[in-house]
Amino acid sequence: MSFRNTDPADAAYVEDVSPGSGALPPRAWYASSDAASLSLNGRWRFRLSPTADAEDDSFAAPGYDCGDWAEVAVPGHWVLQGDGAFGAPVYTNHRYPFPVDPPRVPTENPTGDHLRFFDLPADWPAPAAPDAGGEGGAVLRFDGVESCARVWLNGTDLGEFKGSRLPHEFAVGHLLEPSGNVLAVRVHQWSAGSYLEDQDQWWLPGVFRDVTLLHRPAGSALDFFVHASYDHREGTGTLRVDSDVDGRVLVPGLDIDVETGQVVTVPVRPWTAETPHLYDATLVTGGERVPLRIGFRTVVLEDGLIKVNGRPVLFKGVNRHEWHPEHGRALDLAIMREDVLLMKRHNVNAVRTSHYPPHPAFLDLCDEYGLWVIDECDLETHGFTGQGWRDNPVDDDRWTPALLDRAARMVERDKNHPSVVVWSLGNEAGTGRGLTAMAEWIRGRDGSRLIHYEGDANCRDTDVYSRMYADHAEVDRIGLGLDGGPLGRRRLPFILCEYGHAMGNGPGGLADYQRIFEEHDRIQGGFVWEWIDHGIRDERYGFAYGGDFGEELHDGNFVCDGLLFPDRTPSPGLVEYKKVVEPVRIEGDGAGGTVRVTNTFDFADLSALAFAWSYEVDGEAVETGALDVPALAPGETADVKLPEPPVDARGAETRWTVRAALAGDSAWAPRGHLVAWAQLPVSERPLVSVPASARPAPDGRGGITLGPGVFSARTGELTAVDGIDVVGLKLDVWRAPTDNDDGASWQPDARHGLLWRTLGLHRMRHRLEAVEPGEDALTVRTRVAPAAAEVGLRTVYRWTSDGTRLRLTVSVAPEGDWQVPLPRLGIRFGLPAGDRVRWHGGGPGEAYPDTAAASMLGRWESTVDELQTPYVRPQENGARADVRWAEIGQGAGRPALRVEGEPEFWFTARRWTSEQLDAAEHLTDLTPGDTVWVNLDHGQQGIGSQSCGPGVLPRYRLRVRPAEFSFVFSTP
């Protein structure tokens, strides 16, 4: 054999539209059996070349000297290793980072040669010649390589393959040696397959999933298909395991011992995402025992609804890209388990595997812990949208074999997972004959699941009407059947496969969506985009995003749009989503002493939950107790009597808080984990009374005193309260625009951040008109307006005092024709750098008008730094809602400044100004100063999700209109 072929045609397979050659047919994936296996993960020798044909294939020969090669970790991406020596990541949303000239790719095509040397374990069975299925030998399995690979073992060319997130196996038993085996893999970053993998993520080449050598004894299992349906009327499960190799199926828990292919029906406990009951089983063939975990469930399209085990389901889902901030898409089992546990703990019940099949171990976890899964094919051709989908591979017959190969590798690999209830053909790939061929093949192979594809507007190939980012009004119309479209589509269930774009601060409006979902049977929920920010850990920036690696073409921080921060810390958006989709509805009349509890689970009763009440006076719990709630079945409601209020709290604000928590340890959370909660007001907060008894007086030093306050006689600005310095107190309307404020580039007319900046709200000018000391008040009249505009806000500050407290009443009267809402409306001032903050209001985390469902009223405490939310791209954050009072500490031995509001206010405190926050591109750009800047806001603009979705709903817009609000300053 030759290893000196330097003909460029040797790399022609890179641009071949076929899926590859030499690989075995796809089959069911399983993690282990009693057959021997050898993980080839670890440190591999590595050489990077700039083009596909820069080096010949002599490196694959035994005895090749690679002593000067580097090393990389497998699984891994080479661009995330080597401290930049192996190139850099590239992020694009949908634009291909190479010319759109299918199937051609640039000559500049980073190519990584990988070498792995291994010996067989001493107890490895003796090699034998394989038959047609690889029996009697061994199989080499690659679970994921981006984007095209060619493989040699001990100098023999095994073949090449594309389909980055799919497994490929090669028969190698006849090539193995007891020691000194040489596995060579050449990986090309760009290939014809790249045109099918334009999936809004980092382009990260490498061998990023496991590489495993599997012994195949004579008579070993090849492919098998577990059919396990459930009859909800009879309470029975029907099992049939089809196997390429005859054998037996043992299910001890059901007393089953049958031949493969035989049908057996027995009483069973069904599998659902809420009650994920699995039966341990074994497939026994002549040469192998394969552990199985069987879940009995039936998925049908019936009465225009997706039903599982006879009941409609409501997806409370997320889209999940695979991500780790240091290792990219190379995830280990612990990280996958952490994802699943976080989902379960935040009331998420479904996952769309955007936009490719995940590591198969993730689906094992979904089976075990209980998550509905839409399993999506490794297919997206979004970059063709820029040319009107011309030359789109999914409508070009030359590419259909590659599409069918990807569909088959997904279905065959994942068909035995009960968690997978829907197959998805892919994402944002336009329409065409190739997609129809995929749907037809899938239906022929597996009729037990439904088919999804959002791009199929006429639902020709799908069982579900699916949309992305439809606004609330349109979703409501769809639920009412008023959406029009083909009759067949109007008879199908509807889901939002993407909504609630979780980029930066947000998403807003989730509770409003959920109310619509629950009002209409046809709407069966949605999947928030997306699970995790794809920031890459970086010394310069904390977490890097698109453009931070010098990419010529990139889409910035659009890659950071998740409910988790890159380090898997839950964002406020995930906390909000948990509250919005909680599976128990708790309502009632706190003053009447009755609470109504409704079970909104689809399958589970409430026996796993314990309910408790607390009675709170001015934000503090004075007594707690258990609440006896029956184990309601799904959909059932019960009215439960609360106890008599335990204390006489006249003259105070009182409320009940009712909580539902796990009564015992579960597989996914410990006893006491909070699942759902509600607060029921009893008595309202009394008004803050500050009689205007003190008089303004000169202080003899060019200032004015009024009670505990000191003011500038010239400007009327407050300079101190009870000896605490105050700087720059004035009306404030600006916030550092959020990603959702800035909006998507294709929606310029509704991008409030852009409109605000264009109007000049980030550089408002304050004109002093009068400082008027009076008998019982100090009045300061101003006009606040942006330069180069005729609109303005005539603002009056009226200060009064009772001698110990200082009251500010702010009156705002708009002037001119305001065409945009305000970002915020309130006052801002600076205090000497303090640390501790206490408040009575919403918490513990941030909230805005349309993200406040999870804001629980109570007394909270934090540091100033802990009030900040570390969005990867800095932006407005950290507001606490419905604040009655807040105290900002000035350090040990110094008094705190107390602020009470009338009405309640939004409270923000940070060690930098909004302008500094606005200017920052990364968290590392923010340097704490010596001043704590405090915002007390009468109003805040909502958040929305217009970074890639609808904007702020009208009721959450901060319209410009006359306003009056008050704050009382004191020291406790």
Side-chain angles (χ1 to χ4, degrees), residues 356-367:
Y356 43 82
H359 191 292
F362 179 77
L363 298 179
D364 287 338
L365 295 169
C366 294
D367 294 342

Side-chain angles (χ1 to χ4, degrees), residues 567-629:
D567 63 0
R568 281 182 164 72
T569 299
S571 75
L574 182 56
V575 177
E576 175 81 353
Y577 194 41
K578 174 186 177 181
K579 173 61 179 168
V580 165
V581 300
E582 62 188 10
V584 182
R585 188 181 304 119
I586 303 171
E587 305 163 305
D589 178 5
T594 300
V595 61
R596 172 164 290 183
V597 178
T598 302
N599 179 0
T600 62
F601 280 112
D602 293 324
F603 297 93
D605 64 25
L606 298 188
S607 59
L609 300 180
F611 289 77
W613 57 265
S614 63
Y615 189 73
E616 293 151 14
V617 177
D618 287 336
E620 290 190 301
V622 296
E623 194 165 333
T624 63
L627 188 66
D628 188 13
V629 175

Side-chain angles (χ1 to χ4, degrees), residues 358-511:
H359 191 292
F362 179 77
L363 298 179
D364 287 338
L365 295 169
C366 294
D367 294 342
E368 178 182 353
Y369 292 101
L371 289 167
W372 308 117
V373 174
I374 295 181
D375 197 358
E376 193 150 271
C377 195
D378 190 9
L379 174 62
E380 180 167 339
T381 64
H382 201 170
F384 287 90
T385 188
Q387 56 199 58
W389 297 106
R390 186 177 62 255
D391 297 328
N392 185 8
V394 304
D395 200 29
D396 183 335
D397 291 340
R398 294 176 301 165
W399 294 80
T400 299
L403 304 182
L404 291 172
D405 180 76
R406 289 170 184 250
R409 290 188 182 279
M410 171 183 71
V411 170
E412 301 296 6
R413 191 195 77 167
D414 298 341
K415 59 182 177 284
N416 295 325
H417 290 282
S419 57
V420 176
V421 293
V422 178
W423 300 118
S424 180
L425 302 180
N427 183 69
E428 292 177 316
T431 58
R433 292 163 287 177
L435 289 165
T436 299
M438 293 169 68
E440 291 175 349
W441 185 90
I442 292 173
R443 283 199 174 91
R445 177 58 173 150
D446 177 25
S448 69
R449 294 175 173 94
L450 306 184
I451 294 179
H452 164 272
Y453 176 64
E454 182 270 342
D456 185 4
N458 293 324
C459 298
R460 178 184 62 182
D461 299 322
T462 63
D463 301 306
V464 181
Y465 178 30
S466 176
R467 289 284 303 282
M468 296 179 182
Y469 307 109
D471 64 28
H472 300 76
E474 183 178 3
V475 174
D476 192 44
R477 289 195 300 272
I478 292 170
L480 291 168
L482 303 177
D483 51 306
L487 179 61
R489 188 180 79 185
R490 284 183 277 137
R491 292 173 174 168
L492 294 179
F494 175 79
I495 64 169
L496 278 170
C497 68
E498 294 180 22
Y499 84 110
H501 197 253
M503 186 175 177
N505 187 337
L510 290 178

Side-chain angles (χ1 to χ4, degrees), residues 612-693:
W613 57 265
S614 63
Y615 189 73
E616 293 151 14
V617 177
D618 287 336
E620 290 190 301
V622 296
E623 194 165 333
T624 63
L627 188 66
D628 188 13
V629 175
L632 300 172
E636 287 188 342
T637 295
D639 291 328
V640 181
K641 191 69 176 173
L642 291 163
E644 290 297 317
V647 297
D648 183 352
R650 280 174 289 185
E653 181 182 13
T654 58
R655 69 180 70 92
W656 299 97
T657 298
V658 178
R659 296 173 172 86
L662 290 180
D665 292 343
S666 78
W668 46 269
R671 177 180 180 271
H673 169 79
L674 185 62
V675 174
W677 59 272
Q679 293 187 299
L680 313 176
V682 178
S683 60
E684 296 183 357
R685 170 190 176 219
L687 298 177
V688 183
S689 177
V690 182
S693 57

Side-chain angles (χ1 to χ4, degrees), residues 75 340 625 773:
V340 170

